[in-house]
Amino acid sequence: MTTHRPPRPGDRKNHRSDVRPQCTDPASLREGVRAHAGEVRYEGACPTREKAEEAVHLVLSGLGRQLTGDERVDLAARLPVEAARILTAQIPDTQPLGGWAFVKDLAARTGASLATTRWDTGSVFSAVAAYAGPDLITRILRRLPSGYALLFGRAELTRAA
C-alpha cells in the first residue's frame, strides 16, 4: 500500500495529489490515520504514535462538529480515508465555537491542559492544512468563527469597520 504524506518544506511540489488511495479493509483504514498521526507526531513532538493518534481523533472530531458545507466535503475528500471518516462522523453543532472556545472544549473533553490542547490542535491543523492546500484552508477559515487562523498557523486578519 502506498502511504501518502502531506508535503514538507523542501518538497518539489507544494500540493498533494487529488488522488487518494482507496482503502476498504479496517487495517488499511487505520493506516490512513497512522500516516496522519505520523505527521502530527513529527510536527507536534508527540512522545508516542498513540498520543499522536489520540490528538488526530480529538481534533478532527472537534473540527467535524464545527465545519459545514462544501468546505467540509472538500476537506474530507483530501484527507486520508480514515481521517475523513472521523471528520464526517460528527454532527455539526448548532452554535459554532470560536477558536479559543474550540480549544477549551477539546481540553474539557480530555482533561488535558489548555496549553497542551492548543499545541496538539495546532499540530493536527498543520497536517490538515498540508493535505487541504492554501485555497481550501482560506475557504475553511472564512466559514469558521474567528480565532481559527492562528490554530492553522496563519495570521488572524480582521476586516476594517
Side-chain angles (χ1 to χ4, degrees):
M1 180 178 94
T2 302
T3 302
H4 292 281
R5 68 166 179 79
R8 290 188 179 139
D11 284 355
R12 290 183 177 235
K13 293 184 179 180
N14 289 328
H15 66 279
R16 185 179 168 278
S17 171
D18 288 336
V19 177
R20 192 170 49 160
Q22 295 300 313
C23 302
T24 54
D25 65 281
S28 295
L29 294 175
R30 280 192 303 275
E31 285 304 313
V33 169
R34 286 189 179 132
H36 194 71
E39 290 302 313
V40 170
R41 184 172 181 208
Y42 173 80
E43 294 291 331
C46 289
T48 65
R49 179 173 293 279
E50 292 76 23
K51 289 285 187 190
E53 286 180 17
E54 288 173 16
V56 168
H57 279 272
L58 176 71
V59 175
L60 286 179
S61 294
L63 184 59
R65 290 187 297 275
Q66 301 303 309
L67 192 58
T68 60
D70 290 340
E71 290 77 13
R72 177 184 172 108
V73 173
D74 292 348
L75 179 58
R78 295 183 189 189
L79 292 173
V81 174
E82 183 62 18
R85 286 187 180 181
I86 294 167
L87 177 84
T88 58
Q90 305 303 309
I91 298 170
D93 290 342
T94 57
Q95 293 291 326
L97 301 172
W100 185 236
F102 176 80
V103 171
K104 286 181 181 180
D105 178 65
L106 296 181
R109 290 172 186 269
T110 62
S113 73
L114 289 172
T116 299
T117 305
R118 165 59 180 91
W119 184 270
D120 290 348
T121 301
S123 298
V124 173
F125 280 177
S126 174
V128 166
Y131 280 105
D135 293 339
L136 179 54
I137 293 302
T138 298
R139 288 177 37 219
I140 289 170
L141 291 174
R142 285 185 184 139
R143 177 165 291 277
L144 293 171
S146 68
Y148 283 86
L150 291 174
L151 296 172
F152 276 99
R154 290 190 175 187
E156 183 83 36
L157 302 177
T158 57
R159 294 187 180 131

